[in-house]
């Protein structure tokens, strides 16, 4: 299963079996049950997660007590609260498994030691953060510029398999509206 | 003025005078007038900008024809449309100088050549993107979780000098409301 991680690294840098096996030694593999919390609000954010199988989501609980999903991570995606992870601070988010999942996790100190030991992994992580930031910049544009309905259609066009795979109440939570409203939009869309 | 860039690099990596001078040779210095556009919607996004002096903003024009500001960059900040920059695509954004500014610019090919020539700059850019992404993740949380009024107070508390420095209509444009509404909130806040 860790082969997926090797393939992902190889998209950006050249790495041989021996190096990969050493890189991997900085990580732990963790099996996660559906709905299990990997991180909870108020805890120090210890880990950066790479999804080998399954799906995680990140959310916070808003003032009305509603879970607001801000990110998903499926296979080949990284997930954490980056600010809290880098500064070893308590997080304002939860990370929870949407499906039974298998993840690699690395703590902040180990990630720094990994980068010291394998400077070429700087290039790998530079690409990871660069693309995550680029996607986030577009996301902010959509949050400002699109109506909720247009945001849903955009998501459906860009990531149809993802929308099919996720429970609908979580898609609603990600888009910032109620499951009932999503259901209405979908009826309108399919008719 | 380029000394500011050297100091910024030195926050993350060790670099000597000779190396810095070579690094700098991948960039051009550009003087920008107030309100001058460095990038316009529909153009291929050519440059990544580092602000030496002054202030840039990034915005898009929404369906109603209103300029929606999504980012600012003052001294020591990088700015571009990262998705369009990496993929050399037409951008959906404008980048415009808010104040008379001096910037360093680098094109995509030169940035890649710089990273090939100075692999230690991977670490510098890794930190730049990592922190930009972390800030962006928190920004998305505020966009979902805070009322417009709370968002303004948050900005005022976190970056009071920035709010003082910027024209108020641009702060309004960044927060996604009208200058009139911002003026109301400020009156309520100061009374």
């Amino acid at each position: 299963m860790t082969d997926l991680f090797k393939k992902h690294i190889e998209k950006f840098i050249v790495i041989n079996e021996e190096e990969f096996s050493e890189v991997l030694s900085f990580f732990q593999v963790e099996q996660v049950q559906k709905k299990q919390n990997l991180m909870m609000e108020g805890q120090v954010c210890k880990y950066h997660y790479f999804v080998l199988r399954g799906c995680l989501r990140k959310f916070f609980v808003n003032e009305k007590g509603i879970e607001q999903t801000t990110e998903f991570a499926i296979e080949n995606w990284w997930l954490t609260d980056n600010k809290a992870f880098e500064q070893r601070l308590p997080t304002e988010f939860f990370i929870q498994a949407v499906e039974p999942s298998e993840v690699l996790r690395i703590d902040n100190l180990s990630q720094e030691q990994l980068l010291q030991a394998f400077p070429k992994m700087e290039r790998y992580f530079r690409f990871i953060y660069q693309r995550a930031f680029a996607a986030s910049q577009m996301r902010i544009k959509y949050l400002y510029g699109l109506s909720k309905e247009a945001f849903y259609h955009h998501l459906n066009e860009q990531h149809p398999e993802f929308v099919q795979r996720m429970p609908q109440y979580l898609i609603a939570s990600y888009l910032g509206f109620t499951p009932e409203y999503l259901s209405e939009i979908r009826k309108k869309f399919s008719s």
Side-chain angles (χ1 to χ4, degrees), chain A:
Chain A
M1 192 61 85
T2 55
D3 221 43
L4 195 77
F5 184 40
K6 182 160 185 281
K7 288 212 178 80
H8 196 249
I9 294 174
E10 284 173 335
K11 281 187 189 175
F12 305 102
I13 61 171
V14 176
I15 189 167
N16 65 35
E17 279 298 340
E18 196 186 328
E19 287 169 325
F20 177 67
S21 140
E22 282 183 59
V23 164
L24 204 57
S25 71
F26 288 85
F27 292 83
Q28 294 101 45
V29 179
E30 190 173 353
Q31 308 292 335
V32 199
Q33 292 184 321
K34 186 174 168 175
K35 299 251 179 191
Q36 186 181 328
N37 288 318
L38 288 170
M39 182 177 92
M40 292 178 73
E41 183 190 345
Q43 294 178 342
V44 170
C45 175
K46 281 188 74 173
Y47 297 112
H48 199 184
Y49 296 101
F50 178 85
V51 180
L52 294 169
R53 178 179 58 82
C55 177
L56 308 179
R57 72 176 176 118
K58 190 168 132 195
F59 65 92
F60 66 95
V61 177
N62 69 17
E63 285 177 0
K64 292 173 189 160
I66 293 167
E67 293 180 3
Q68 174 64 60
T69 301
T70 60
E71 273 168 271
F72 290 99
I74 55 172
E75 291 81 7
N76 283 322
W77 275 83
W78 287 89
L79 191 66
T80 192
D81 171 355
N82 281 282
K83 184 165 178 258
F85 178 72
E86 189 190 329
Q87 300 178 30
R88 298 171 207 201
L89 292 173
T91 177
E92 299 173 19
F93 294 92
F94 293 78
I95 291 179
Q96 192 179 76
V98 177
E99 302 170 357
S101 303
E102 186 171 343
V103 300
L104 288 174
R105 70 174 200 202
I106 187 165
D107 64 47
N108 189 290
L109 182 61
S110 302
Q111 186 169 312
E112 187 49 39
Q113 287 169 339
L114 165 65
L115 291 166
Q116 297 287 348
F118 293 92
K120 67 165 134 177
M121 287 295 284
E122 291 282 5
R123 184 173 173 83
Y124 170 73
F125 277 106
R126 193 260 299 166
F127 267 113
I128 297 305
Y129 292 120
Q130 179 178 335
R131 294 196 174 172
F133 178 49
S136 194
Q137 283 184 313
M138 293 313 290
R139 175 95 178 280
I140 286 171
K141 179 174 188 284
Y142 301 140
L143 281 171
Y144 275 116
L146 293 183
S147 69
K148 289 182 170 187
E149 198 171 322
F151 198 7
Y152 171 70
H153 292 319
H154 177 82
L155 187 69
N156 224 352
E157 277 163 25
Q158 298 285 308
H159 309 284
E161 289 151 29
F162 179 78
V163 173
Q164 282 304 313
R165 178 172 166 180
M166 288 304 112
Q168 289 307 297
Y169 78 97
L170 289 184
I171 297 290
S173 165
Y174 178 73
L175 296 170
F177 43 77
T178 63
E180 292 73 22
Y181 185 69
L182 176 60
S183 170
E184 265 176 52
I185 291 179
R186 294 186 71 191
K187 268 184 218 148
K188 214 166 94 180
F189 190 45
S190 62
S191 65

